[in-house]
Amino acid sequence: MATASDSKYKRTNTNGMQHQPLDVAIVGGGLVGSLLALHLGKKGHEVNLYEYREDIRTAELVIGRSINLALSARGRRALAEVGLEDALLNHGIPMSGRMLHDVNGKCKIVPYDANTNQCIYSVGRKHLNEVLLNAAEKYPNIHLHFNHKLVSANLDEGNLSMVDPVTKDVKSARADLIVGCDGAYSAVRKEIVKRPRYDFSQTYIEHGYLELCIPPTAAGEFAMPHNYLHIWPRGQFMMIALPNQDRTWTVTLFMPFTQFHSITDQGLLLDFFRQHFPDAIELIGRERLVKDFFKTKAQPLVMIKCRPYHIGAKALIIGDAAHAMVPFYGQGMNAGFEDCSVLTELFNQYGTDLARILPEFSEKRWEDAHAICDLAMYNYIEMRDLVTKRSYLLRKKLDELLFWMMPNTWVPLYNSVSFSHMRYSKCIANRAWQDKILTRVLYGASIASVAAIGGLCYRHVTMGHLERLSSRILSTFQLLKPKASV
């Protein structure tokens, strides 16, 4: 990785060909923006990173934003490409599966990958952002600018107008390429949406989220087994907990806003938790639960779909600016990091030819981005409800068995999303193919079983007995039959 001691880059190299480096303006200094700065800075481009907030390395943690995230294969690869994977894995806490809490406080472990024991990692948002910014600062051709809020842009000309939120000073900049990494409410995308025939949709779900915290034990240890994502599934709502380095747990309660609004005082809150999450009261602590619940309001969850992601050869959006999703597959950050990998591959292929790079990125990425947005919505239903169903557990066992027997042919949906680099759209197509195969096999097996049993029992059972037996077999088939795919 380049450092401040390296000489300033003059030209970039692609497949043996020299190119003049680009002036790149990245709007948004969060996780995706700072990682993209590293990817492009490593290639020798002059990068200016503009963030409207103060430097997160000196700022206090903002209440209400998730302080930890789930890092999986796609994000790991993007970090490895700039030499930071090991540093983040050493910080992260591995989670090998889900630990489900029922209303009686009993727990059940559901591994993510029972065959190869692959895991995802709980990483701190602030720590990750700090690592990325510190690494970017070491490049002489990456320049960090905080308190720069984008107020307008001419994306055809590459011009930006920004204001300092504190001093109100207006600043301007120009770039060969403007990349919006400024989140779900992107100011760069706001400029793009003004264009005619631009596809854009914004969907808020009826559920919101509110964050709580489980402190360490009196001995300073984790209050629960820490190598799992803990879930309290309750049908129409749920609570989850991810471990932190300081032995605390970030607890997130997801449920309809109407339910949040119905809890108006301490008594109603404690009654609600006694009924649905009795074991969590002791873990969180009664006083802390009341204080944290009423300290902030439940936050909304939004899904953004749009296309294309570029304007001409001057502007592009990636990460949440292009495809914000609900958090239930843990792929928001990973998908944004994968955007960086895909874009870097195109720079490797086409040098600095933005007229080819940007349209191909849009075409290559939109279908996968829409797919993971849909999968994230589906996974909320799975996490809050389906994980408790016998049919879900049976299907998971069957997937594990077939994956063990045919690891290169039968890859379960969760594995393909979290532990592979298979395109998200291909993950859905692969699941649909598996559903079709299982439906045919199970249906055929049921019919064969009915016929075989009927032949054996023809002389020994009445027709009524045979009908009841057939009904039971077909009921079992319906139990095992895969759910409709996303």
Side-chain angles (χ1 to χ4, degrees), residues 169-364:
D169 292 339
V170 177
K171 303 173 183 180
S172 60
R174 191 178 186 285
D176 299 315
L177 171 63
I178 298 170
V179 186
C181 304
D182 48 342
Y185 304 102
S186 168
V188 177
R189 190 188 65 236
K190 192 178 296 184
E191 297 291 332
I192 297 177
V193 170
K194 297 175 183 177
R195 306 295 175 113
R197 300 179 63 193
Y198 188 77
D199 290 335
F200 171 77
S201 70
Q202 173 179 287
T203 305
Y204 284 95
I205 66 173
E206 63 176 337
H207 297 239
Y209 74 96
L210 188 145
E211 290 197 343
L212 305 167
C213 179
I214 294 176
T217 65
E221 299 299 326
F222 282 109
M224 303 183 292
H226 65 279
N227 292 125
Y228 301 96
L229 169 64
H230 289 253
I231 306 177
W232 288 257
R234 298 297 183 262
Q236 291 304 307
F237 54 92
M238 72 172 183
M239 193 165 69
I240 67 171
L242 279 80
N244 298 309
Q245 284 287 342
D246 61 1
R247 305 296 194 271
T248 64
W249 292 83
T250 299
V251 181
T252 310
L253 175 61
F254 298 96
M255 65 182 183
F257 277 102
T258 53
Q259 205 148 8
F260 275 116
H261 295 158
S262 69
I263 301 175
T264 55
D265 58 42
Q266 174 178 324
L268 291 172
L269 173 63
L270 293 175
D271 286 344
F272 174 77
F273 265 75
R274 289 189 192 104
Q275 180 180 356
H276 299 291
F277 311 112
D279 59 330
I281 297 176
E282 182 178 352
L283 291 168
I284 298 171
R286 176 173 168 166
E287 291 184 6
R288 183 162 192 160
L289 170 61
V290 172
K291 178 183 176 182
D292 289 351
F293 186 90
F294 292 109
K295 181 170 56 179
T296 58
K297 293 183 178 180
Q299 301 297 307
L301 294 166
V302 66
M303 177 176 69
I304 301 290
K305 289 183 179 180
C306 60
R307 62 179 294 210
Y309 298 140
H310 73 287
I311 291 293
K314 284 283 188 181
L316 179 72
I317 53 174
I318 69 172
D320 281 356
H323 44 71
M325 65 194 73
V326 294
F328 305 114
Y329 227 117
Q331 286 295 303
M333 174 187 68
N334 291 287
F337 282 8
E338 190 174 56
D339 286 345
C340 297
S341 294
V342 172
L343 188 58
T344 298
E345 289 172 4
L346 294 173
F347 270 94
N348 290 340
Q349 187 175 353
Y350 299 123
T352 57
D353 188 352
L354 297 177
R356 299 183 71 181
I357 293 171
L358 304 193
E360 188 160 330
F361 178 87
S362 284
E363 187 58 32
K364 195 170 187 177

